[in-house]
Amino acid sequence: MTDTSLDFRVTHEDLARFIQATLAAVGANQASAQAVSRALVTASRMGTDSHGLRLLPHYVQALQGGRIKGAPNMVFQRRLAATGCLNADDGLGHLAGYTAMEHATAMADEVGIGAVAVGHSSHFGAAGCYALAAAERGYLGMAFCNSDPFVLLHDGAKPFHGTNPIAFAAPVAGESPYLLDMATSSIPWNRVQQFGAIGRQLPDQVAADAAGQVSRVPADIAALLPLGGSDFGFKGAGLGGMVEVLSSMLSGMQHGFRLLPMGGPDMATPRGVGHFFLAIKPDAFVDEGTFAQGLAAYLKDLRAQPASKNARVLAPGDREWRCQAQRDAQGVPLDVANQLAYAELAERHRITPLSRLD
Amino acid sequence: MTDTSLDFRVTHEDLARFIQATLAAVGANQASAQAVSRALVTASRMGTDSHGLRLLPHYVQALQGGRIKGAPNMVFQRRLAATGCLNADDGLGHLAGYTAMEHATAMADEVGIGAVAVGHSSHFGAAGCYALAAAERGYLGMAFCNSDPFVLLHDGAKPFHGTNPIAFAAPVAGESPYLLDMATSSIPWNRVQQFGAIGRQLPDQVAADAAGQVSRVPADIAALLPLGGSDFGFKGAGLGGMVEVLSSMLSGMQHGFRLLPMGGPDMATPRGVGHFFLAIKPDAFVDEGTFAQGLAAYLKDLRAQPASKNARVLAPGDREWRCQAQRDAQGVPLDVANQLAYAELAERHRITPLSRLD
């Protein structure tokens, strides 16, 4: 984001109001609109801008095109005491995600672990939102999702896996949760576009050209490398594969390679995205208090480690919660592209525009 | 390994016989000796030499030193329908691992998922062995383990995490299982030693000197980098942290940073290693056959992908099963160091030496 863009800031409450009103205007029911708003605002507050407010125009397009249903009939079936599946009926992935994690934590409360595979779903924003939803209730949460192909296999020449994210969150007594939310590629696809726009070279070992050769020139990029690059990408690709097995195979959906592209042009055909959610109850393994004490001791040791670069080492989530505190105080910034997109949505759907903070 | 070393090859049956006899000679009971032998032979057959037969002298030392009990009283407690904990009573981690995964699959059979946290354990060899044990019975298996510090945090200057492995296996109809077994560093510690011994530079972005600066000179290396290197090591470090939370905190053990070093010199004090195992029943989410069909379709698409380097792309496990077929036909090789170590064990414990294949 440029400096100018930081001048346009809004409260997250106003952002949530706008997102919900816009989605309602294109046919989303209240539960769907609230779930999307919760996920996008969560991501935007913590600085995960790739999965925050910028996605709203995309969801509007998908709802209007018919790919996604604004009033789905999602059906949960508990198949065994610790497991179930959710048919998301081509609704918004955010509603599917929060709903599935709610069932997962309810089962975990009863039997120690709960897992839900979700089929017939759609893009759900940041995987971390759903892991976080579990951690906020006192459970360890994990979330996985397949996605359309952008990432090479190790030694591969053509995109095969999506950026297939892994999210993991754990409750921390008296603090915000521990939160890891990572793609199994080194960078997201929109990083290539961002670097291209400002004429900057990519880091080494993160992307490749159409022949599968590593390249740092944004204009030449046809695929991302799996995490680990040319030498160790079998690890990133293996993790991407694990996400595929959990998200696609346990939900009975097609694997990511065969998914229609998120970006269209077809905005009418449901994509059948698959997710997988896991909730784990700490006290189902150790006595009450043991987990919290252990995690606090671990985080204390971790944060006391010396850094190599005059920086501080951080636990997963530390950067995000710091950003959230700052944005809660100063507002969530919109870059120029998002300012324009949101102004257009306001006009087209007759919604009170976002109120710019002074 | 040098060419010469390949001249000394043994059958895996003979290797198992030798391992069991040696462990029995230093006080391991039958269940413990069989578990270690199963794990080491599995790793050696599939070419995971870092976690195969070379570890036997280490376990002998730990049993003789008193750090590990050869006849432990391991106690499993099922705490809820899907969860339990195993107190490994400072026995061999391999017995703990196979025992825990057996309980996990039994619970998964009943309620869909089963998870077991193991405390008071010891080094268990390759994490993949236990994930594989689940897959061989038709379940998805996951295994995690903490370990003593070798790996920097992202931007860290001192080792904090162990190489904290993640293993994931899935049953494939009519084939050997899908098997991912990875450290959350790019390379294992003994790779540094191997490269040093042959005067070779390390790959870039895998290790650092005592100041936490990236270095490729084996003699200068004081720590490994997390998977992802200087730029993206927050992902490898985050995965290492996830392993820590599952293995240390859910088992009530100390986290890896505070573990006594595996290599000694103290071979008398139990280390209190923690593991975490998860078993997932595919039919607990989708109808019978759906999972197998989906995985077969995925693997077919994967293996048909074009490669960038005149190679073939591989699914996790493909390389290992190919190696296993070869070693089952031609024997498991011992390099010179292992030939000497095994000869010494044979002499010291009056065990019939390994029988060298022609």
Side-chain angles (χ1 to χ4, degrees):
Chain A
M1 273 179 283
T2 62
D3 280 341
T4 334
S5 72
L6 295 174
D7 291 331
F8 196 104
R9 289 170 289 107
V10 301
T11 66
H12 65 80
E13 292 87 352
D14 193 37
L15 180 59
R17 187 263 316 155
F18 188 93
I19 291 172
Q20 290 178 39
T22 306
L23 292 169
V26 294
N29 61 17
Q30 202 187 15
S32 298
Q34 282 178 345
V36 176
S37 149
R38 179 178 172 191
L40 298 192
V41 170
T42 297
S44 279
R45 283 171 74 200
M46 62 170 73
T48 310
D49 293 325
S50 56
H51 289 70
L53 60 90
R54 84 172 184 92
L55 289 169
L56 178 63
H58 168 76
Y59 299 131
V60 167
Q61 229 190 330
L63 284 159
Q64 290 188 309
R67 172 199 284 181
I68 296 179
K69 288 185 196 165
N73 177 28
M74 296 192 183
V75 177
F76 175 70
Q77 185 196 358
R78 187 170 179 180
R79 291 176 61 100
L80 285 171
T83 61
C85 58
L86 179 76
N87 182 330
D89 191 31
D90 302 318
L92 285 149
H94 321 69
L95 180 59
Y98 286 120
T99 304
M101 194 50 105
E102 217 163 295
H103 289 292
T105 53
M107 292 189 288
D109 190 51
E110 211 179 301
V111 294
I113 293 212
V116 178
V118 179
H120 303 287
S121 190
S122 63
H123 194 261
F124 70 2
C129 294
Y130 313 100
L132 194 55
E136 284 167 349
R137 286 187 206 138
Y139 303 84
L140 277 67
M142 297 184 79
F144 308 88
C145 184
N146 67 10
S147 43
D148 47 313
F150 278 103
V151 184
L152 301 180
L153 290 166
H154 187 58
D155 291 339
K158 272 181 57 186
F160 182 71
H161 284 140
T163 49
N164 294 8
I166 297 174
F168 173 79
V172 184
E175 283 185 37
S176 295
Y178 180 100
L179 175 60
L180 171 70
D181 184 0
M182 57 171 270
T184 49
S185 54
S186 291
I187 59 167
W189 184 253
N190 69 9
R191 189 79 51 87
V192 177
Q193 299 162 321
Q194 286 166 358
F195 274 55
I198 57 172
R200 198 171 144 193
Q201 278 215 324
L202 291 167
D204 194 20
Q205 297 293 325
V206 305
D209 63 21
Q213 298 303 308
V214 175
S215 167
R216 301 184 59 181
V217 182
D220 294 344
I221 301 307
L224 302 174
L225 292 190
L227 177 64
S230 305
D231 286 337
F232 303 100
F234 57 92
K235 301 198 178 199
L239 290 169
M242 176 181 83
V243 172
E244 202 72 59
V245 173
L246 295 171
S247 306
S248 307
M249 271 110 249
L250 288 181
S251 67
M253 293 292 102
Q254 293 198 94
H255 55 276
F257 183 64
R258 297 194 169 264
L259 281 183
L260 287 173
M262 174 186 173
D266 179 356
M267 284 287 169
T269 311
R271 296 173 67 225
V273 170
H275 320 297
F276 187 74
F277 302 97
L278 192 64
I280 300 175
K281 182 181 181 175
D283 298 351
F285 297 91
V286 279
D287 293 340
E288 206 187 319
T290 304
F291 177 83
Q293 279 168 25
L295 187 50
Y298 166 73
L299 290 172
K300 191 177 167 191
D301 277 349
L302 187 158
R303 292 186 180 123
Q305 290 305 301
S308 64
K309 299 176 183 168
N310 298 322
R312 273 177 60 198
V313 298
L314 297 174
D318 285 356
R319 187 187 306 276
E320 286 74 10
W321 303 127
R322 199 177 300 168
C323 181
Q324 179 168 301
Q326 192 197 18
R327 290 189 172 183
D328 283 359
Q330 299 170 6
V332 174
L334 275 78
D335 65 15
V336 175
N338 283 318
Q339 289 168 37
L340 289 172
Y342 271 63
E344 202 186 309
L345 287 172
E347 199 180 315
R348 195 183 317 154
H349 302 292
R350 298 165 187 267
I351 292 159
T352 311
L354 287 172
S355 176
R356 179 178 179 162
L357 288 172
D358 293 327
Chain B
M1 276 178 281
T2 62
D3 281 343
T4 335
S5 73
L6 295 174
D7 291 330
F8 195 103
R9 289 171 289 105
V10 302
T11 67
H12 65 79
E13 292 88 353
D14 192 39
L15 180 60
R17 187 262 316 158
F18 188 94
I19 292 172
Q20 290 179 39
T22 305
L23 292 169
V26 293
N29 63 16
Q30 202 187 14
S32 298
Q34 282 178 346
V36 176
S37 151
R38 180 177 171 191
L40 298 193
V41 170
T42 296
S44 279
R45 283 172 74 200
M46 63 170 72
T48 311
D49 292 324
S50 56
H51 289 70
L53 61 89
R54 85 172 185 92
L55 290 169
L56 178 62
H58 169 75
Y59 299 132
V60 167
Q61 229 190 330
L63 284 159
Q64 290 189 308
R67 173 200 283 181
I68 296 180
K69 288 185 197 166
N73 178 27
M74 295 193 182
V75 177
F76 176 70
Q77 185 196 358
R78 187 170 179 181
R79 292 175 60 101
L80 286 171
T83 60
C85 58
L86 178 75
N87 182 329
D89 190 30
D90 303 318
L92 284 150
H94 320 71
L95 179 61
Y98 285 120
T99 303
M101 193 51 105
E102 218 164 295
H103 288 294
T105 54
M107 293 189 288
D109 189 53
E110 208 179 303
V111 295
I113 293 212
V116 177
V118 179
H120 302 288
S121 190
S122 64
H123 193 263
F124 71 2
C129 293
Y130 314 100
L132 193 56
E136 284 167 349
R137 289 189 204 136
Y139 302 85
L140 277 66
M142 298 184 78
F144 308 88
C145 185
N146 67 10
S147 42
D148 46 313
F150 279 103
V151 185
L152 300 180
L153 290 166
H154 188 58
D155 290 340
K158 272 181 57 189
F160 182 70
H161 284 141
T163 47
N164 295 8
I166 297 173
F168 173 79
V172 184
E175 282 185 41
S176 295
Y178 180 100
L179 175 61
L180 172 70
D181 183 1
M182 57 171 269
T184 49
S185 55
S186 292
I187 59 167
W189 183 254
N190 68 10
R191 190 79 51 87
V192 177
Q193 298 162 320
Q194 285 166 358
F195 275 54
I198 57 171
R200 196 170 146 196
Q201 278 216 325
L202 291 166
D204 194 20
Q205 298 293 325
V206 305
D209 63 21
Q213 298 303 308
V214 174
S215 167
R216 301 185 60 182
V217 182
D220 295 344
I221 300 307
L224 303 174
L225 291 190
L227 176 66
S230 305
D231 286 339
F232 303 101
F234 57 91
K235 299 197 179 197
L239 290 170
M242 178 182 82
V243 172
E244 201 71 62
V245 173
L246 295 171
S247 306
S248 307
M249 272 110 249
L250 288 181
S251 66
M253 294 293 102
Q254 292 198 95
H255 54 276
F257 183 63
R258 298 196 168 263
L259 280 185
L260 287 173
M262 175 187 172
D266 180 355
M267 283 287 169
T269 312
R271 296 172 68 223
V273 171
H275 320 297
F276 188 73
F277 302 96
L278 193 64
I280 300 175
K281 183 181 181 173
D283 297 351
F285 297 92
V286 279
D287 292 339
E288 207 187 320
T290 302
F291 177 84
Q293 279 167 26
L295 186 51
Y298 167 73
L299 290 172
K300 191 176 169 192
D301 277 349
L302 188 158
R303 294 188 178 120
Q305 290 305 300
S308 63
K309 299 177 184 168
N310 298 322
R312 273 176 60 197
V313 299
L314 297 174
D318 284 356
R319 188 187 305 277
E320 285 75 11
W321 303 128
R322 200 178 299 169
C323 180
Q324 179 169 299
Q326 194 198 15
R327 290 188 172 185
D328 282 358
Q330 298 170 7
V332 175
L334 275 79
D335 65 14
V336 174
N338 283 318
Q339 290 169 36
L340 289 172
Y342 272 61
E344 202 186 308
L345 287 172
E347 199 180 314
R348 195 183 318 155
H349 303 292
R350 299 166 187 265
I351 292 159
T352 310
L354 287 172
S355 176
R356 181 177 178 163
L357 289 172
D358 293 325

